[in-house]
Amino acid sequence: MSCSSIPTRLSNALSRVAADRPPARRPERTDGGARPAGPAASRRRLVRARALPGLLAALLLAGLGGPAAAAPPRTVCAITINSDDERESFRRHLPPEQFRVVELVQRGRADWLDAACRSGVRCDALIVSGHFDDGSEFYADQRDHQDVLTVPQLQQAACSPSCSGLFAQLQEVYLFGCKTLGTDPRLGAGAELRRALQRDGLGADAAARAADQLAQRYGQSNRDRLRHIFQGVPLLYGFPGQAPLGRFAGPLLDRYFQTVPGAAAEVAGGRPSPALLGLFSHVALQATPGLSAADPHAGFRQDLCGLTNRDAAPAQRLAAQHALLQRGGAEARMWLDHFERLDAEIGPLQRVQPEVDAALRAIAADAAARDSFLAFARDADEATVQTRMLALARRFGWLDEVQAREELAGVIARRMGEGRLGKYEVDHVCSTARPDPGLLEALRERRAAPAAETAHAAVLACLGDPQAHRHTVQALLAPREADAEIAQVYLRRRSLADAGELRALADGIPQLRGSAAQLRALEALTRQRLDDPASLQVIAGLFPRAGSLELQRAIAALLLRADWRSLGQPAELARQLRRHRLHSPDGRDVIDMLIRVLQQA
């Protein structure tokens, strides 16, 4: 600092003291709440007035080379989805004159992340606490916590300039969730990628190498995705496997702050703490930097932000999607999730806007992108990928209604002929296809291999064939486990035709061999409307003979959802349940809940 600046600094400081206006503290909440003045305000004013000579001396020394002023407090932001133990440990041990801890989640407010982005808060460190087992979202296991934080939400926020305050000056992120730094890829280099690249003109060896490169670029393990989200952040803490629950992580953090000299000074410093890593070593806490601009796959983030930047105009995002589609079907498949989200975000009113309409027309007119995309869809290994890509092709304007039906019929028919239909394919068809006489007629003529007969019938039943429906429902009692599982999947999506079907299944369940088969059938019926007294009597009569606690629980859950009043004499049924129930090592369960309901009746 030059000496010429000293008078200005002194003048400003003297003005603040004379007017009794200390620099305002930042708000502790992102919803605008301010901290009220304390009762000792008058005493503080007197102390400051008496300290004026010392302040003058300190500022003069500052002008001669000392520190210009106390550093502003650093902000530790928290996204508390599940446990608040981790956040509260930081709050307890960080000096309030050096740090402020700000919670970003506002309970009961669905747009809390958007509100945090608009609040202007700038985070130096971020604590994220929540379950993260499957890598798709941070979630809670507490019933009174309904908030979630999905990876797509984080990606969108990180890519949008309007939310840059949360990310721009981050020095470190604490990811308290299982597998936050897991390295298992979410997408692999399947044979379908190699086949697609060979169709595009590559030789077998070159296609294999290119497929591996695509898998490395787009495999997107949890670790990769979070490093992309927190690009440029010097330090991320997380777990490659199981993470400790908050009630265990909180005390470990307390121990860190209480026993490690200078622990608070390490927070938001951007350098790994050997002491912290050592305390969490039994759960393999790891440290890694966010993505750097020099990373070989840094270009992926730029492509991703082209699709997900919510501040960009829809036409710009569609143009970014078009550029990715032009790279060929293999690469387009790796973007499938993101394409579907973008399609869902652009509504009917936006689609008629001139710029958006022009962008959509450009995609529809791109014959080369269309051919490569459809070739991959027809050849994909998974039926779910095939039908999802065909649905997008319809949205892109590459297929009309008749063509889309023919493509879907071809996909299903090929899998039928190859005996590759199973419960997952049935579930996908039943969840996406509506009754379609045209498609149904196209498939009736094709016979499935005997091993796939029930799956074939289930697909036809989902498309509206009543005879196939009866065949599939009866398969719930079939001795072959695969057939029963297909029927179970089918009944998640479709209802029984009448009370006669329910009665036939109820009568057959006690005849099934083994608790597992009976349990599967009961779980399938739990999703149905259960109002036939004769069927319920049969199921209730199975309780004393049930060979496992799981089976008894399934019976109780079914009766609880059913019209149990039609059974008559609820007190007698409660006595039977108490008499025959198997011991529960987990304490009170659904059986106790049913007994209580019956007693109250």
Side-chain angles (χ1 to χ4, degrees):
M1 181 181 69
S2 63
C3 293
S4 61
S5 64
I6 295 176
T8 301
R9 298 181 61 83
L10 284 173
S11 175
N12 291 340
L14 288 170
S15 298
R16 285 199 301 272
V17 173
D20 189 32
R21 289 185 300 170
R25 295 190 65 177
R26 296 182 183 180
E28 294 296 326
R29 298 178 297 171
T30 62
D31 58 358
R35 177 174 291 185
S42 60
R43 290 197 300 273
R44 289 200 301 271
R45 286 196 292 270
L46 179 60
V47 169
R48 282 197 296 272
R50 291 176 176 174
L52 180 56
L55 176 63
L56 291 173
L59 289 173
L60 285 171
L61 286 174
L64 296 175
R74 285 172 283 182
T75 300
V76 177
C77 296
I79 295 178
T80 305
I81 301 298
N82 193 42
S83 162
D84 64 1
D85 298 275
E86 299 92 343
R87 180 197 67 201
E88 290 307 300
S89 180
F90 279 83
R91 193 189 299 277
R92 280 192 298 272
H93 298 291
L94 294 179
E97 67 276 8
Q98 298 176 24
F99 293 91
R100 64 179 189 137
V101 178
V102 177
E103 176 58 61
L104 302 183
V105 177
Q106 299 178 43
R107 297 293 181 199
R109 182 170 180 173
D111 66 340
W112 62 265
L113 182 56
D114 290 338
C117 293
R118 295 191 300 267
S119 71
V121 65
R122 300 181 71 82
C123 306
D124 297 290
L126 176 64
I127 306 164
V128 185
S129 174
H131 293 292
F132 195 66
D133 304 273
D134 68 350
S136 63
E137 64 182 16
F138 290 93
Y139 65 94
D141 60 5
Q142 303 177 46
R143 291 185 178 180
D144 57 337
H145 290 188
Q146 300 299 319
D147 303 290
V148 297
L149 177 64
T150 68
V151 168
Q153 282 178 309
L154 272 173
Q155 290 171 332
Q156 190 175 63
C159 286
S160 302
S162 61
C163 200
S164 61
L166 299 185
F167 300 88
Q169 65 186 42
L170 274 175
Q171 294 301 303
E172 59 195 36
V173 180
Y174 300 83
L175 299 164
F176 288 103
C178 294
K179 302 180 183 178
T180 46
L181 293 186
T183 56
D184 292 337
R186 299 176 65 84
L187 288 174
E192 58 189 9
L193 287 183
R194 296 191 291 274
R195 296 194 301 268
L197 292 167
Q198 286 182 274
R199 284 195 300 271
D200 290 340
L202 295 181
D205 292 341
R209 289 192 299 271
D212 288 339
Q213 291 170 359
L214 285 176
Q216 293 171 14
R217 179 181 175 89
Y218 296 115
Q220 287 293 283
S221 65
N222 293 348
R223 181 178 182 273
D224 288 340
R225 290 191 302 164
L226 290 168
R227 289 187 67 235
H228 278 80
I229 288 168
F230 297 109
Q231 182 183 32
V233 178
L235 175 61
L236 310 180
Y237 287 111
F239 302 88
Q242 293 297 110
L245 296 173
R247 64 177 181 270
F248 300 113
L252 281 174
L253 288 170
D254 289 338
R255 183 179 173 190
Y256 164 65
F257 286 117
Q258 291 166 350
T259 62
V260 176
E266 293 182 333
V267 175
R271 291 183 296 276
S273 167
L276 183 63
L277 292 169
L279 281 171
F280 282 85
S281 61
H282 65 289
V283 284
L285 178 69
Q286 291 185 355
T288 187
L291 187 77
S292 72
D295 191 280
H297 302 302
F300 169 80
R301 190 178 193 275
Q302 182 177 355
D303 292 337
L304 177 64
C305 288
L307 292 177
T308 60
N309 177 7
R310 63 185 176 191
D311 299 333
Q316 290 178 284
R317 297 171 69 185
L318 286 170
Q321 177 179 255
H322 190 182
L324 295 172
L325 288 168
Q326 289 175 323
R327 296 180 186 175
E331 197 151 351
R333 185 268 173 270
M334 308 303 274
W335 287 100
L336 186 56
D337 292 345
H338 301 286
F339 289 169
E340 289 174 328
R341 277 193 288 271
L342 178 58
D343 179 71
E345 288 177 20
I346 299 179
L349 294 180
Q350 291 175 308
R351 290 175 182 271
V352 298
Q353 295 174 359
E355 298 85 357
V356 175
D357 180 64
L360 291 170
R361 288 179 180 273
I363 293 174
D366 192 334
R370 173 191 185 276
D371 291 345
S372 182
F373 189 89
L374 287 176
F376 191 98
R378 293 165 186 148
D379 186 49
D381 292 331
E382 298 179 24
T384 53
V385 172
Q386 290 181 308
T387 52
R388 289 168 63 196
M389 292 185 74
L390 291 176
L392 271 180
R394 178 81 172 93
R395 300 285 288 171
F396 290 156
W398 288 341
L399 298 172
D400 60 28
E401 185 175 351
V402 174
Q403 291 170 327
R405 178 189 296 158
E406 291 175 350
E407 289 284 352
L408 182 57
V411 166
I412 296 173
R414 281 193 294 275
R415 301 187 82 85
M416 284 179 172
E418 296 165 359
R420 289 197 295 147
L421 278 181
K423 61 181 180 181
Y424 299 110
E425 288 77 14
V426 169
D427 184 61
H428 186 68
V429 172
C430 290
S431 64
T432 56
R434 297 172 296 175
D436 186 332
L439 181 57
L440 182 60
E441 187 60 33
L443 291 174
R444 273 176 175 159
E445 299 176 357
R446 302 175 185 266
R447 292 185 176 274
E453 186 176 350
T454 300
H456 187 167
V459 168
L460 297 180
C462 287
L463 297 174
D465 187 325
Q467 183 177 353
H469 166 85
R470 290 189 290 272
H471 178 107
T472 306
V473 168
Q474 285 302 309
L476 189 64
L477 305 176
R480 188 168 176 266
E481 183 178 349
D483 291 337
E485 288 180 343
I486 288 170
Q488 183 183 22
V489 166
Y490 173 76
L491 288 172
R492 289 177 190 160
R493 304 291 182 181
R494 297 295 187 269
S495 301
L496 294 172
D498 50 40
E501 282 191 339
L502 174 59
R503 197 169 302 165
L505 291 176
D507 289 340
I509 290 175
Q511 314 306 319
L512 291 174
R513 297 181 61 183
S515 294
Q518 293 176 338
L519 181 62
R520 180 169 49 244
L522 286 168
E523 289 175 345
L525 291 186
T526 301
R527 298 173 179 267
Q528 301 294 316
R529 181 178 178 181
L530 304 170
D531 55 4
D532 177 57
S535 301
L536 295 178
Q537 289 284 1
V538 172
I539 292 169
L542 181 60
F543 188 90
R545 295 176 284 150
S548 68
L549 177 60
E550 290 76 14
L551 186 55
Q552 286 193 339
R553 286 173 172 171
I555 294 169
L558 186 148
L559 293 176
L560 228 117
R561 292 172 56 92
D563 183 12
W564 50 265
R565 295 175 182 82
S566 64
L567 292 172
Q569 298 183 332
E572 176 59 28
L573 178 57
R575 282 193 293 272
Q576 291 294 322
L577 294 175
R578 284 198 305 271
R579 178 181 176 185
H580 295 288
R581 70 159 301 163
L582 298 175
H583 173 69
S584 172
D586 309 319
R588 300 179 69 83
D589 59 12
V590 67
I591 302 174
D592 299 286
M593 188 183 303
L594 177 59
I595 291 172
R596 185 167 61 252
V597 168
L598 293 171
Q599 288 174 332
Q600 292 173 350

